[in-house]
Amino acid sequence: MMKFDHLRKFCFLLLVVIISSGVFAQTNYYNVTKFGAKADSSTLNTKAIAKAIEAAAKKGGGTVYFPAGKYLTGPIHFKSNITIYLEAGAELHFSDNFDHYLPMVESRYEGVDVTSFSPLFYANRVTNIAIKGRGLVDGHGKKWWDFVEGYKADQPRSKWQYMFDSLNKNILLPDDPRQMTRGFLRPPFIQTMHCENVLIEGITIQNSPFWTVNPQFTNNITIHAVTVINPKRLAPNTDGVNPESCKNVTISDCYISVGDDCITIKSGKDLPGRTKATPCENITITNSTLMSGHGGVVIGSEMSGGVKNVVISNCVFDGTDRGIRIKTMRGRGGAVEDFRVSNIVMKNILYEAIVLNMEYGKSNPEPVSDRTPELKNIRISNITAYAKQAIRILGLDEMTVKNVSFNDLYLVSDLGVEIKNAEDIEFHNVIVNNKTGAAMKATGVNRITIDNFKNQQPVTGSSLISFDNVKNAFLYNNWPAAGSTNVLDVKGSSQNIFLNNNNFNLYPQPVSQPEALKDQVIIK
């Protein structure tokens, strides 16, 4: 027993020596206050923070630590292996002096490669970086918003616009170059360029000058338990999370309420995007609450490099203008493909719950080329939504929306389902309780399957389903409630419409069609 007591005392003394020698000390933590930063909300701490990052980088990396307090700063530039850690009660307030975001740096603005104001947090060609903690970062974006919203084409150009012009003489321009020629492009809040292994976790972000979290050409990104709040009507273009031309992205457990789209997946605009040809791919979005915003989860409209392999699940949208939205147009090019959505509840949706729109910008048909976008291989299931319109699918004359299925949806809306220029579309176990018009209206659709589709509160004076120039349709297992004018109204040059195993006992005349189409509608 005495030998054991001596051994225990020896181990205790050894532990004391180790701790006092600093072996267990947090030598990889760099407290910004030790480098001259002042948590007094008025001292500009940009240089002090840069010194802390540089000191950590010289040791191979580390955590730059902000204890509780309010810190004023200009842009923060990452080096490899750096974590910014904001303690609970720590607040980073970014200056609204535009000159503090000079010199201009390599960036991307709405899908166009430019040299412009430094983002507030900026990383270029670095690896293993993070922003973590329970603290707050505030972009103080109002001055940026006011400048852009109040700018008129006939007013004198600012020094920043002349600077932008001189640095961007030979850039590739989008089809509509006006946004570039105005030459005042607000910086994103957090932008990584050509980086690897990025983590943003726990923090609250507010008042972004422009897009909030905007990784570009970056691989392996995790955005977890982040809160993003930008004023709904006062903060233009302040999207929440916008991965662009990135690979392997996980967005989870976030709360987002912003002045534009909540989460948007992008890959460049028009010729600049097609030239880089870098898709956004392998994206997972889950367990998040998305409040005010132009869209809950949006693809595009800058998607010229393509977007593929996207999974969205287990989210609540409350108060977004639209729910799931894919938007593109002629000139973009690129393909959105292999896209799955499941287990979403939407309420207070101002416009469409689900919209797949290739006519985001109006233009005339043109031959299929690299300017032609594609939407294909989309699966949407287990959705409950309350919206102005249930579903809207708009393809192009020269390029249809292809291979889309809807399974187990409950949709309450003023307007029902609208489909135009599409093929290989399927509905299984879908309820659309709309107030006006047909529950489904399909125009210019080839190969559509409708299985157990219903409106529980039929609209008097309207058909349940309306077909115009629809070819190769199969309707089965439908048992429509009484109250509509008929089950199916067929017109135009529709052909090969098959109805099988339906219960039409409440409709003696379930189908309405002109005499010329009687041979094209087959009921069994």
Side-chain angles (χ1 to χ4, degrees):
M1 179 66 69
M2 187 173 292
K3 289 183 179 180
F4 178 75
D5 288 340
H6 283 305
L7 180 61
R8 185 167 58 183
K9 289 178 181 178
F10 175 76
C11 290
F12 175 76
L13 291 173
L14 180 62
L15 180 62
V16 170
V17 171
I18 290 173
I19 292 174
S20 62
S21 69
V23 174
F24 282 171
Q26 293 179 325
T27 55
N28 61 336
Y29 269 63
Y30 297 81
N31 189 321
V32 292
T33 63
K34 304 299 184 183
F35 293 84
K38 305 293 184 184
D40 59 7
S41 71
S42 59
T43 301
L44 188 67
N45 292 299
T46 313
K47 291 182 179 179
I49 296 168
K51 287 180 182 178
I53 291 173
E54 182 64 32
K58 285 183 178 178
K59 294 292 186 179
T63 297
V64 175
Y65 175 72
F66 289 81
K70 294 184 179 180
Y71 303 84
L72 177 66
T73 184
I76 295 173
H77 288 201
F78 276 90
K79 295 181 180 293
S80 290
N81 306 313
I82 296 295
T83 292
I84 300 291
Y85 189 90
L86 302 173
E87 188 61 83
E91 298 181 10
L92 275 181
H93 291 267
F94 283 83
S95 167
D96 65 2
N97 183 334
F98 301 162
D99 287 334
H100 289 163
Y101 299 88
L102 301 176
M104 293 185 173
V105 298
E106 177 189 1
S107 185
R108 208 185 203 192
Y109 185 91
E110 293 189 344
V112 179
D113 305 289
V114 295
T115 300
S116 191
F117 286 113
S118 170
L120 282 57
F121 283 104
Y122 181 64
N124 194 336
R125 294 174 172 83
V126 300
T127 60
N128 304 327
I129 62 173
I131 307 171
K132 298 175 63 177
R134 301 302 298 171
L136 168 74
V137 292
D138 191 323
H140 291 274
K142 187 177 187 306
K143 189 174 175 182
W144 298 96
W145 311 330
D146 290 348
F147 187 99
V148 170
E149 292 293 286
Y151 177 72
K152 301 292 188 295
D154 58 353
Q155 72 187 51
R157 291 173 64 76
S158 68
K159 65 178 182 180
W160 305 291
Q161 289 164 307
Y162 283 118
M163 188 180 301
F164 179 89
D165 292 345
S166 69
L167 294 170
N168 293 279
K169 293 178 180 178
N170 299 313
I171 63 171
L172 295 176
L173 292 172
D175 289 353
D176 182 356
R178 286 175 294 181
Q179 63 175 334
M180 298 294 112
T181 56
R182 74 185 178 206
F184 185 85
L185 309 183
R186 292 163 287 159
F189 203 131
I190 302 172
Q191 188 175 71
T192 65
M193 300 283 297
H194 312 285
C195 294
E196 293 267 350
N197 303 334
V198 174
L199 171 65
I200 303 171
E201 184 174 50
I203 63 172
T204 296
I205 310 169
Q206 65 186 29
N207 298 320
S208 177
F210 184 57
W211 292 353
T212 306
V213 180
N214 181 214
Q216 301 270 1
F217 306 106
T218 294
N219 179 41
N220 192 18
I221 305 158
T222 299
I223 300 166
H224 175 249
V226 170
T227 297
V228 181
I229 302 174
N230 298 317
K232 182 177 181 179
R233 293 182 175 84
L234 302 177
N237 314 113
T238 53
D239 302 47
V241 180
N242 291 33
E244 187 165 3
S245 296
C246 292
K247 188 173 184 179
N248 305 320
V249 180
T250 299
I251 302 166
S252 64
D253 301 282
C254 293
Y255 175 95
I256 301 175
S257 183
V258 292
D260 207 312
D261 296 322
C262 293
I263 297 174
T264 311
I265 304 170
K266 300 176 181 288
S267 61
K269 178 186 287 187
D270 300 341
L271 180 59
R274 299 197 306 270
T275 300
K276 283 291 180 72
T278 306
C280 210
E281 58 186 326
N282 305 344
I283 315 295
T284 300
I285 300 167
T286 190
N287 298 344
S288 293
T289 301
L290 309 178
M291 303 295 286
S292 68
H294 292 178
V297 178
V298 179
I299 311 296
S301 68
E302 301 88 354
M303 39 69 70
S304 300
V307 175
K308 57 185 178 181
N309 307 337
V310 178
V311 176
I312 304 165
S313 64
N314 304 329
C315 293
V316 173
F317 303 169
D318 188 353
T320 58
D321 289 358
R322 294 169 177 85
I324 298 296
R325 185 183 192 189
I326 301 178
K327 52 182 180 177
T328 187
M329 56 190 287
R330 294 179 178 98
R332 291 287 190 264
V336 175
E337 56 189 323
D338 301 327
F339 180 80
R340 283 191 172 266
V341 183
S342 63
N343 299 334
I344 308 292
V345 174
M346 310 180 196
K347 58 182 181 179
N348 302 313
I349 305 301
L350 188 60
Y351 300 113
E352 302 94 344
I354 300 165
V355 55
L356 314 179
N357 184 9
M358 299 179 76
E359 294 184 349
Y360 182 61
K362 296 297 181 182
S363 58
N364 296 320
E366 61 182 58
V368 173
S369 70
D370 64 350
R371 290 171 41 85
T372 308
E374 292 184 80
L375 305 184
K376 58 187 178 182
N377 306 336
I378 297 167
R379 299 287 179 265
I380 298 176
S381 62
N382 301 312
I383 307 291
T384 296
Y386 302 84
K388 177 73 173 179
Q389 183 167 14
I391 298 171
R392 198 165 186 234
I393 300 175
L394 298 177
L396 301 174
D397 292 340
E398 67 271 25
M399 180 62 71
T400 57
V401 176
K402 296 182 178 68
N403 197 16
V404 182
S405 72
F406 301 92
N407 291 269
D408 297 305
L409 274 58
Y410 178 77
L411 309 172
V412 179
S413 58
D414 292 343
L415 302 173
V417 176
E418 178 188 1
I419 311 170
K420 178 184 175 184
N421 292 333
E423 58 185 292
D424 295 312
I425 308 298
E426 297 192 13
F427 288 82
H428 301 276
N429 303 321
V430 174
I431 297 173
V432 178
N433 286 330
N434 63 298
K435 298 177 182 177
T436 304
M440 179 189 296
K441 181 179 180 181
T443 305
V445 176
N446 183 25
R447 293 188 301 276
I448 181 169
T449 300
I450 301 174
D451 162 29
N452 192 22
F453 178 89
K454 67 184 67 173
N455 184 318
Q456 297 167 324
Q457 301 162 358
V459 178
T460 302
S462 181
S463 301
L464 175 66
I465 299 169
S466 175
F467 282 171
D468 188 353
N469 296 328
V470 170
K471 300 177 180 180
N472 305 309
F474 185 30
L475 287 72
Y476 64 99
N477 293 342
N478 296 289
W479 188 358
S484 297
T485 302
N486 48 53
V487 178
L488 176 64
D489 179 48
V490 182
K491 55 189 175 183
S493 58
S494 297
Q495 57 183 298
N496 296 332
I497 312 299
F498 295 89
L499 297 89
N500 194 12
N501 199 39
N502 298 287
N503 187 337
F504 293 154
N505 67 314
L506 299 175
Y507 288 90
Q509 298 294 328
V511 179
S512 171
Q513 78 274 347
E515 187 66 29
L517 295 180
K518 282 190 177 295
D519 292 340
Q520 298 298 329
V521 180
I522 300 171
I523 303 177
K524 291 186 178 181

